[in-house]
Amino acid sequence: MARLGFALRLTRSSATPKHVRTLASVHRASSIFAPHDEFPERHIGPDDQETASMLSKLGYKSMDAFVGDTVPPKIRVPTSDISNDTIAAFSESQLHARAKSLGAQNKPFKSYIGMGYHNAVVPPVILRNVIENPQWYTPYTPYQPEVAQGRLESLVNFQTMVMSLTSMDIANASMLDEATAAAEGMVMAFVASNQKKKKFLVDSGVLPQTIAVLRTRAKGFGIELVIADASSAIEDSALRSEICGVLVQYPDVNGHVKDFGALAESAHSAGALLVCGTDLLALTMLKPPGEWGADIVLGNSARFGVPAGYGGPHGAFFAVTDKLKRKMPGRLIGRSRDTTGKPAYRLALQTREQHIRREKATSNICTSQALLANMAAMYAVYHGPAGLARIADKVHGFTQVFKSAIQSVGYKVSNPTSFDTITVNVTSVTKSADALHEASAAAGINLRRVDNEHVGVTFDESVTPQELVKLVNVFASAASSPSVSLSDLKEPAGSSIPPALKRTSPYLHHPVFNKHHSETEMLRYINHLASKDIGFMIPLTWPEFSNVHPFVPYDQVKGYHTIIKELEQDLAKITGFHSTSLQPNSGAAGEYAGLSVIRAYHESRGEGHRDICLIPISAHGTNPASAVMAGLKVVPIKSLPDGSLDLEDLKAKAEKHKDNLAAFMITYPSTFGVFEEGVQDACKIIHDNGGQVYLDGANLNAQIGLTNPATCGGDVCHMNLHKTFAIPHGGGGPGVGPICVAEHLTPFLPSHPAMPEIEDKTIDAVSAAPFGSSSIHLISWAYIKMLGGQGLSESSKIALLNANYMAVRLSGHYSLRYKNQNGRVAHELLIDLAEFDKAAGLKVPDFAKRLQDYGFHPPTCSWPISTFCDAMIQIRKEAEDIITGKQPKDNNLLKNAPHPPSVIALSDAEWNRPYTRREAAYPLPYLEEKKFWPTVSRIDDAYGDLNLICDCPSVEELASL
């Protein structure tokens, strides 16, 4: 809808500032013994007086009457469904106490499990000033780069860090996790073969969770996984002719550091791509994949200062050779220039995105893990190349010391080469690995369970000398050998990294990684970047939740599992469904997971041939992309002129494809911002023709306590916890996209290798960790518990009210695109700006950029809505001046927006604009008291795409600026 105008999405926190809110506006407590820190009154923006005022503006005397005209009566649910009786409300202090109590149920074991997850040491200056700083964790996705230069610069640091350590040509701004990044690499290899080569070779040393995700993704594309020793398997001539790519782990899951150079050459000679999963810290010591022939390099960056968090969220990295850069999935930050020629960053190569390619896309990823990528980048900036080398030396050294110590008491080490992981054969000392696991558990230590004869041990920077001694003594005791002290352990004489695989090339030579190594310098740099962005709940960084490995035994995470179970149950109540999976770690991942569940359901009934997915043309671009990834064929459904679904077209196509109909995807309320009357009729058409209904829950914020996806007729839905349930956007991630399903789909929910019990019918994993981004589930759990059922329902009502109030305020100045028969919109509205193109030469970006001068981040966020309406009305007046000829079409307030300080400070001789500096910078009085300044003027997108630069400027480039 960008070409038509803004899509304005309202939240419950938006409020009109027409009066000062005082204690008198807060409800009186029912008793002096009742909590006085209830959350709804602090969280929901408008108070009773403001709500009544907005309702009056719309012509209503009660909220119930307004909701009755907005939400179709036949899909309404009883108010008792979502209430404080069904979801009890906690005060803030009560929730804090309960969270602490549940956190205490998580056992603080020291984990040496590895498998792609490590105990990170988060530098306090980054912990306090990035992950716990709302300037970093609350900003919206940087679609408006002029007001996002700080986090974009940091993401370029991330890209540069990855490119330098991997020696690859270009890297993106992060992926969801390592396993899904590997799946993206596999599909890239498949596409590079023109989708003709259907086999993908996976080395047996690849992480098991990655293999599980590959299985899920391969199924949708018809790719056959071949899991074997890759170096040997590729010698099979029959296989060579059929493989599109090869995936290796470097170092592998058992710690081996293998030379894959010859394998890369062999893969290339067979016309296949070499994909490498690796470890950034290891690459400070190992020959980087880019130097031995890798085409795609990926992995988990969380080792660089991001807590384990029981599985996430973590920022995966993804780098490719130059020839693959325009096929690379995910967000890419590039350097361009603004209208004054000043360097500026922005999202690059938008033509790769799903809203452009739709069903032609082979990836549905439309987000990143920006906050976590920025933490990893800051970690590299803070430590620099020398600091990272020192950390790597310690980790590798501890591994060598431990290896020598246990070999001296009779254990055999299976991998002669290693960086941080060794696999130990225990049979020469004990009967089985179980005895050693019991001994380690008694000492508060987790080892990796490999099999009955082997255990795995992985070291990281958090291990202290005392913990090393304790670990050695667990093994010594099991071998009936005397314990040792620190003085008994000797520093290693050499390295177990093969000489040919030792790194010789420099890394992180860019100035930004070599100048901010003191706390004060780092603090200044973090704050400098944060000051360039608009930012709008503190994430739980308590150690009892953040320092938990995702593969620990379940009895060590009883607190986590209580929270996970309660969140699953609450989401099921809210959606009206039977069961929940929290594993998908983005909204698009939820779409893919839900469709994969539907496919598995059909297959269980002997109807695996069902592969048609009906999708309205108004759907978000990820919908058709997700359908293709799940192995479905997309058939578009028309929309009527009023924006509603064309039920006749839906019925005709459902009946036409009834023998092969698998699913129907629908967003509700629709992306046009309306509750459609015929949603239940549409779902019945699908069910009557053998299909299942996927209801996209991106707009669930408008439904809670009023209706739900199950009542609308859906069988499965996903939710965006980062949209509806308070997880901050983080400047473009993290996000969480759990799915809820009807009872008949429950047996097919995603499994994971780390889950102790896996049902026969479950689909394979869709993310690297069994419960996805577990540590931020706590935010949504806390949010739901503190609002309670009544507060959640009230939030949805206020979101609807805010949107309709705005629609009325703006209706005399702009054309609103879609409304229902009562003149109401849902929680978002579309403003049609097409009339201004012909009359004044103004396009949607002109309005968006001008809003930045008014202190707003267009088009979607949370604002004081009266102030926003004032800004939009004033911009309408400015547009009228262009229409009437008072300002020229090519040189005016909108075309030249935004106006950063550098432009306002131009001399009189340089100021060649037909308006004053005051009109540019302070068009309304409120801006004189509080104004956010963009740091650059409008950025040239075309120049940036034609001159693609995605790393930090060099010393020479900085000197020339």
Side-chain angles (χ1 to χ4, degrees):
M1 297 308 298
R3 66 180 180 85
L4 293 175
F6 289 142
L8 303 174
R9 180 175 294 143
L10 278 296
T11 70
R12 82 291 294 177
S13 59
S14 308
T16 174
K18 292 300 184 183
H19 76 285
V20 177
R21 188 169 185 165
T22 66
L23 289 176
S25 66
V26 177
H27 296 149
R28 187 179 183 86
S30 59
S31 164
I32 61 170
F33 302 109
H36 288 255
D37 57 346
E38 294 177 332
F39 186 59
E41 291 174 343
R42 307 288 186 182
H43 173 70
I44 298 173
D47 62 19
D48 291 346
Q49 182 179 336
E50 292 167 329
T51 298
S53 175
M54 288 193 286
L55 286 169
S56 177
K57 182 76 174 178
L58 297 176
Y60 295 100
K61 293 183 179 180
S62 71
M63 180 68 81
D64 288 343
F66 160 71
V67 171
D69 276 355
T70 305
V71 183
K74 61 184 178 181
I75 64 167
R76 291 290 303 276
V77 297
T79 56
S80 58
D81 280 10
I82 303 298
S83 68
N84 285 354
D85 291 328
T86 57
I87 301 177
F90 288 72
S91 71
E92 293 187 50
S93 56
Q94 289 172 335
L95 192 284
H96 184 276
R98 184 147 192 268
K100 276 292 184 184
S101 174
L102 291 174
Q105 295 180 24
N106 297 329
K107 298 178 182 178
F109 276 41
K110 183 70 177 181
S111 290
Y112 298 87
I113 297 172
M115 299 176 69
Y117 294 96
H118 305 85
N119 300 305
V121 176
V122 188
V125 65
I126 297 175
L127 177 70
R128 293 191 303 268
N129 296 289
V130 179
I131 195 171
E132 293 180 351
N133 182 354
Q135 287 182 289
W136 283 96
Y137 68 72
T138 62
Y140 194 61
T141 303
Y143 295 134
Q144 299 296 328
E146 295 85 358
V147 290
Q149 286 297 294
R151 90 194 83 124
L152 288 173
E153 180 177 326
S154 183
L155 288 172
V156 167
N157 292 347
F158 176 83
Q159 293 176 175
T160 304
M161 170 191 78
V162 173
M163 292 161 63
S164 181
L165 287 169
T166 62
S167 288
M168 298 299 285
D169 297 322
I170 193 166
N172 70 16
S174 75
M175 303 286 274
L176 300 177
D177 60 35
E178 180 171 354
T180 54
E184 297 285 353
M186 174 183 68
V187 175
M188 277 188 72
F190 178 54
V191 172
S193 75
N194 294 317
Q195 303 189 25
K196 293 179 179 178
K197 294 186 174 183
K198 296 274 189 174
K199 292 186 178 180
F200 187 71
L201 177 58
V202 181
D203 188 72
S204 52
V206 168
L207 301 172
Q209 67 269 26
T210 296
I211 294 175
V213 171
L214 288 175
R215 285 197 185 100
T216 312
R217 189 71 60 91
K219 190 171 185 178
F221 287 96
I223 299 171
E224 179 186 344
L225 293 187
V226 179
I227 302 170
D229 179 274
S231 296
S232 300
I234 203 167
E235 298 303 319
D236 183 331
S237 58
L239 179 62
R240 284 174 59 82
S241 65
E242 297 179 293
I243 59 169
C244 59
V246 183
L247 173 65
V248 298
Q249 198 83 37
Y250 178 71
D252 75 9
V253 66
N254 295 315
H256 291 274
V257 178
K258 298 179 181 179
D259 189 343
F260 291 116
L263 176 63
E265 289 183 11
S266 185
H268 294 155
S269 68
L273 298 183
L274 193 290
V275 186
C276 175
T278 191
D279 178 299
L280 291 178
L281 189 65
L283 294 185
T284 64
M285 301 187 77
L286 301 181
K287 183 178 181 179
E291 294 180 11
W292 51 253
D295 300 289
I296 301 171
V297 181
L298 53 92
N300 186 353
S301 70
R303 191 166 200 164
F304 281 19
V306 179
Y310 199 39
H314 297 152
F317 59 90
F318 196 95
V320 301
T321 56
D322 185 71
K323 68 179 181 180
L324 296 174
K325 65 186 178 185
R326 294 181 185 270
K327 301 294 184 181
M328 179 171 58
R331 289 182 178 148
L332 181 67
I333 313 303
R335 195 183 343 151
S336 186
R337 63 187 182 189
D338 71 2
T339 55
T340 67
K342 182 178 179 181
Y345 297 108
R346 28 76 76 182
L347 293 172
L349 299 182
Q350 284 289 291
T351 52
R352 302 171 308 136
E353 297 296 323
Q354 291 73 30
H355 65 274
I356 302 291
R357 304 194 67 224
R358 298 182 70 81
E359 65 270 13
K360 294 181 181 179
T362 53
S363 169
N364 70 348
I365 186 168
C366 62
T367 187
S368 60
Q369 297 281 27
L371 178 63
L372 298 317
N374 280 328
M375 286 187 66
M378 291 296 184
Y379 180 93
V381 168
Y382 187 51
H383 287 295
L388 293 179
R390 186 167 58 244
I391 294 168
D393 285 341
K394 174 197 170 183
V395 170
H396 184 55
F398 273 33
T399 307
Q400 294 293 96
V401 170
F402 176 72
K403 175 182 176 180
S404 177
I406 64 170
Q407 283 178 325
S408 70
V409 296
Y411 291 95
K412 295 179 180 179
V413 173
S414 300
N415 53 310
T417 61
S418 64
F419 167 65
D420 64 359
T421 297
I422 62 172
T423 299
V424 185
N425 187 321
V426 303
T427 55
S428 60
V429 175
T430 65
K431 290 183 179 180
S432 71
D434 287 341
L436 195 56
H437 285 301
E438 290 177 9
S440 65
I445 290 172
N446 288 319
L447 306 175
R448 179 189 166 211
R449 292 181 177 271
V450 179
D451 56 33
N452 199 43
E453 297 182 349
H454 299 82
V455 300
V457 181
T458 297
F459 288 86
D460 54 55
E461 65 169 317
S462 73
V463 180
T464 66
Q466 293 72 29
E467 289 170 331
L468 174 60
V469 171
K470 183 178 180 180
L471 180 63
V472 168
N473 282 329
V474 167
F475 279 76
S477 176
S480 301
S481 295
S483 61
V484 301
S485 64
L486 185 60
S487 61
D488 296 320
L489 302 179
K490 307 300 180 184
E491 293 201 15
S495 169
S496 58
I497 296 174
L501 292 178
K502 288 185 178 180
R503 183 166 194 142
T504 58
S505 56
Y507 53 89
L508 301 183
H509 58 276
H510 305 79
V512 71
F513 298 108
N514 293 279
K515 60 191 297 187
H516 304 293
H517 301 326
S518 73
E519 272 214 346
T520 51
E521 289 171 332
M522 191 67 195
L523 180 61
R524 291 188 187 110
Y525 182 63
I526 291 171
N527 288 337
H528 167 67
L529 295 187
S531 69
K532 298 182 178 184
D533 291 15
I534 289 182
F536 303 112
M537 209 175 275
I538 296 178
L540 283 173
T541 53
W542 299 346
E544 52 264 57
F545 291 108
S546 62
N547 296 341
V548 181
H549 194 284
F551 303 154
V552 300
Y554 276 18
D555 65 357
Q556 294 178 21
V557 280
K558 291 181 178 178
Y560 246 124
H561 279 234
T562 296
I563 289 171
I564 287 169
K565 181 57 66 177
E566 290 184 1
L567 179 58
E568 288 175 344
Q569 291 170 344
D570 287 342
L571 293 177
K573 290 176 186 176
I574 289 166
T575 60
F577 284 127
H578 181 271
S579 303
T580 306
S581 170
L582 297 174
Q583 196 177 123
N585 47 19
S586 77
E591 293 175 14
Y592 168 66
L595 291 172
S596 296
V597 164
I598 287 174
R599 291 225 69 185
Y601 166 75
H602 286 310
E603 289 170 1
S604 74
R605 293 159 53 88
E607 297 182 334
H609 60 277
R610 290 187 174 273
D611 62 355
I612 298 296
C613 185
L614 306 181
I615 301 180
I617 59 172
S618 62
H620 191 281
T622 58
N623 284 183
S626 297
V628 170
M629 288 172 56
L632 298 171
K633 300 172 184 176
V634 175
V635 174
I637 303 299
K638 298 175 184 177
S639 293
L640 297 174
D642 65 358
S644 61
L645 186 68
D646 187 333
L647 290 178
E648 290 186 7
D649 188 50
L650 177 69
K651 187 173 188 295
K653 288 175 179 173
E655 291 176 350
K656 176 183 177 181
H657 297 287
K658 64 181 180 180
D659 293 334
N660 295 302
L661 181 61
F664 170 52
M665 297 187 80
I666 183 172
T667 301
Y668 202 74
S670 76
T671 53
F672 291 140
V674 177
F675 283 100
E676 294 187 33
E677 290 278 351
V679 63
Q680 290 176 324
D681 297 331
C683 294
K684 185 177 186 301
I685 290 171
I686 301 304
H687 290 142
D688 287 347
N689 288 279
Q692 295 283 288
V693 176
Y694 180 95
L695 199 148
D696 187 320
N699 295 338
L700 189 68
N701 186 44
Q703 297 185 40
I704 304 176
L706 307 176
T707 184
N708 62 51
T711 299
C712 291
D715 299 290
V716 55
C717 78
H718 89 268
M719 295 144 285
N720 297 76
L721 298 191
H722 48 288
K723 292 181 179 178
T724 305
F725 297 107
I727 291 177
H729 270 279
V736 180
I739 58 172
C740 290
V741 300
E743 186 172 5
H744 65 281
L745 296 180
T746 296
F748 307 95
L749 287 173
S751 60
H752 192 280
M755 291 180 172
E757 297 180 5
I758 299 177
E759 300 291 337
D760 292 340
K761 295 181 180 180
T762 60
I763 64 171
D764 276 309
V766 295
S767 73
F771 300 101
S773 298
S774 298
S775 66
I776 55 174
H777 296 336
L778 278 68
I779 299 173
S780 295
W781 169 79
Y783 173 83
I784 290 170
K785 293 302 184 189
M786 287 194 293
L787 274 179
Q790 183 177 330
L792 289 166
S793 180
E794 187 68 18
S795 293
S796 287
K797 294 175 183 177
I798 293 297
L800 298 176
L801 179 60
N802 284 335
N804 281 276
Y805 173 79
M806 182 180 290
V808 169
R809 282 287 312 275
L810 297 179
S811 61
H813 306 276
Y814 295 93
S815 298
L816 301 185
R817 185 70 176 176
Y818 301 110
K819 300 177 183 179
N820 71 8
Q821 69 273 19
N822 298 317
R824 302 276 72 93
V825 299
H827 72 313
E828 59 185 325
L829 60 146
L830 270 68
I831 299 175
D832 190 345
L833 300 177
E835 62 182 288
F836 297 99
D837 190 358
K838 183 176 181 180
L842 296 174
K843 301 184 183 300
V844 172
D846 299 317
F847 287 82
K849 304 306 181 186
R850 183 56 174 157
L851 270 170
Q852 295 177 22
D853 286 328
Y854 286 78
F856 291 104
H857 187 307
T860 309
C861 60
S862 198
W863 341 272
I865 61 175
S866 280
T867 307
F868 177 80
C869 289
D870 291 341
M872 286 297 294
I873 292 168
Q874 183 65 22
I875 292 172
R876 177 64 179 83
K877 294 176 182 177
E878 294 170 353
E880 187 64 25
D881 286 345
I882 303 168
I883 294 171
T884 59
K886 291 181 180 180
Q887 286 200 13
K889 289 185 177 182
D890 60 347
N891 184 14
N892 53 66
L893 284 163
L894 279 77
K895 283 293 184 185
N896 294 334
H899 298 81
S902 58
V903 169
I904 299 300
L906 291 173
S907 67
D908 290 341
E910 295 171 308
W911 186 264
N912 61 345
R913 309 182 183 209
Y915 49 87
T916 67
R917 293 178 178 83
R918 184 175 186 80
E919 288 172 323
Y922 300 107
L924 288 176
Y926 73 86
L927 293 164
E928 296 178 17
E929 180 180 348
K930 185 178 181 181
K931 177 179 173 68
F932 178 86
W933 289 91
T935 56
V936 295
S937 60
R938 191 176 305 194
I939 297 172
D940 188 336
D941 289 331
Y943 176 86
D945 281 349
L946 290 172
N947 303 273
L948 193 60
I949 303 172
C950 300
D951 60 352
C952 297
S954 64
V955 175
E956 294 76 17
E957 288 173 316
L958 287 172
S960 67
L961 296 179

